[in-house]
Amino acid sequence: KKWIRDDNPGFGSAKNSGTVSQWMNVFRQRPQHWRLLVDESNEIIGYWEIHLLFDEDYQQVKNGILDEDKLNVSMMPSEDMKGVYPAYFSMFGYDVDYRKFGAPASKILIWSILDTLYIQAREHGKFVSEITARAWTQNGNAMCRDLGMNCILKANQSPNIKIDHWCGSIGLILRSTSKKLSIEHPELMKLYENAGFLTRMEGDAV
C-alpha cells in the first residue's frame, strides 16, 4: 500500500482492503497468485497479485459489489482444478525510488506475470478468460489503458479516494499488447493463440 500512497495520499484511509491474516491465508494456499520482487539486500521493492476466481465471485468483484476484505480461498480454484477462469488483478506496485532509474522493476514484474500465466496454462491447464482491475492511481489507470482494458465503472470510496474499475477479455488484452508480448513472452502468446483466445472478440462466450 505504500507504493499506492506515493501516487495517491488518500489511499492511506482506504477501507475494505482486507487484513494481514486474511491475505496471509490466501498467500499460503494460493502461492501461484502472487510474486515479490526483492533487491540485492533482500528488501521488498515490488509485488503483484492476480487472483483467479469462480465466475459468480468474479462478477461481484468486477461490478464493485464484493470488496477485497471479503475475498478468500474458497472463491479461488485450487491448483488441480483445470479450466478457464476470470481473474482479478488486485495489485501491481514497486518502490517509488526504483522509478527514478527507468522501469527495470516494472519490466521484471510484468515478465513474472506473463511467465506465471504461461506456467498455469501449460502445466496446470488453467487459462484466464477475462481480467478486471481497480485503479487507485494515475499510474494504475494508465497501465489498464495500455493493456487495452475498458473503464466500466467510476466510484468514490471517500472524497479523497477515487476508484476506476477496468475490464478486458484476455483476447482483447493479448491483441492489444501482441507486438510487445510476442517479444517478451512468445510462448504465452502461442499457447493462448492455439487455445483460440485470440480469435474471440470482446464479450464472446468462453
Side-chain angles (χ1 to χ4, degrees):
K1 295 179 183 178
K2 171 184 178 296
W3 300 309
I4 295 181
R5 195 179 304 116
D6 288 332
D7 281 342
N8 181 357
F11 185 78
S13 58
K15 302 176 182 178
N16 307 327
S17 58
T19 64
V20 172
S21 59
Q22 169 202 349
W23 286 112
M24 284 303 296
N25 190 45
V26 171
F27 293 163
R28 281 194 298 264
Q29 297 194 48
R30 297 293 184 271
Q32 69 275 20
H33 287 187
W34 62 282
R35 291 291 184 274
L36 297 176
L37 178 64
V38 299
D39 63 12
E40 62 275 6
S41 301
N42 216 34
E43 292 290 325
I44 298 172
I45 60 171
Y47 85 103
W48 59 260
E49 295 176 42
I50 298 180
H51 303 289
L52 274 63
L53 298 170
F54 294 113
D55 191 64
E56 182 178 351
D57 302 305
Y58 171 81
Q59 293 300 328
Q60 292 192 65
V61 171
K62 174 181 173 179
N63 294 316
I65 300 170
L66 188 66
D67 287 318
E68 288 196 355
D69 61 345
K70 300 296 191 299
L71 292 178
N72 60 71
V73 292
S74 70
M75 303 173 180
M76 306 170 186
S78 59
E79 189 74 7
D80 59 347
M81 295 179 69
K82 297 181 179 180
V84 180
Y85 300 97
Y88 171 43
F89 197 166
S90 173
M91 178 63 188
F92 181 96
Y94 52 97
D95 195 296
V96 66
D97 289 338
Y98 285 81
R99 300 182 195 179
K100 300 174 184 176
F101 307 102
S106 174
K107 187 172 183 179
I108 293 170
L109 287 169
I110 290 172
W111 194 92
S112 173
I113 293 172
L114 299 176
D115 200 49
T116 300
L117 291 176
Y118 174 68
I119 291 171
Q120 285 295 302
R122 186 193 66 184
E123 299 183 4
H124 303 287
K126 276 194 177 76
F127 287 85
V128 173
S129 58
E130 183 178 279
I131 297 177
T132 191
R134 296 175 182 179
W136 305 76
T137 69
Q138 291 183 355
N139 285 338
N141 280 308
M143 182 175 184
C144 291
R145 195 177 298 110
D146 289 345
L147 288 172
M149 302 170 78
N150 297 309
C151 186
I152 59 172
L153 177 67
K154 291 180 177 291
N156 294 332
Q157 194 174 84
S158 76
N160 296 324
I161 303 174
K162 302 182 186 299
I163 308 171
D164 290 346
H165 295 241
W166 295 77
C167 183
S169 70
I170 196 67
L172 178 67
I173 292 170
L174 292 178
R175 287 193 299 270
S176 296
T177 59
S178 60
K179 186 174 182 179
K180 185 175 182 180
L181 186 57
S182 62
I183 298 172
E184 297 288 344
H185 208 307
E187 297 90 350
L188 174 66
M189 193 74 172
K190 191 66 176 176
L191 196 60
Y192 270 79
E193 182 179 14
N194 289 341
F197 286 92
L198 297 190
T199 60
R200 298 187 180 118
M201 298 303 291
E202 182 75 8
D204 285 352
V206 177

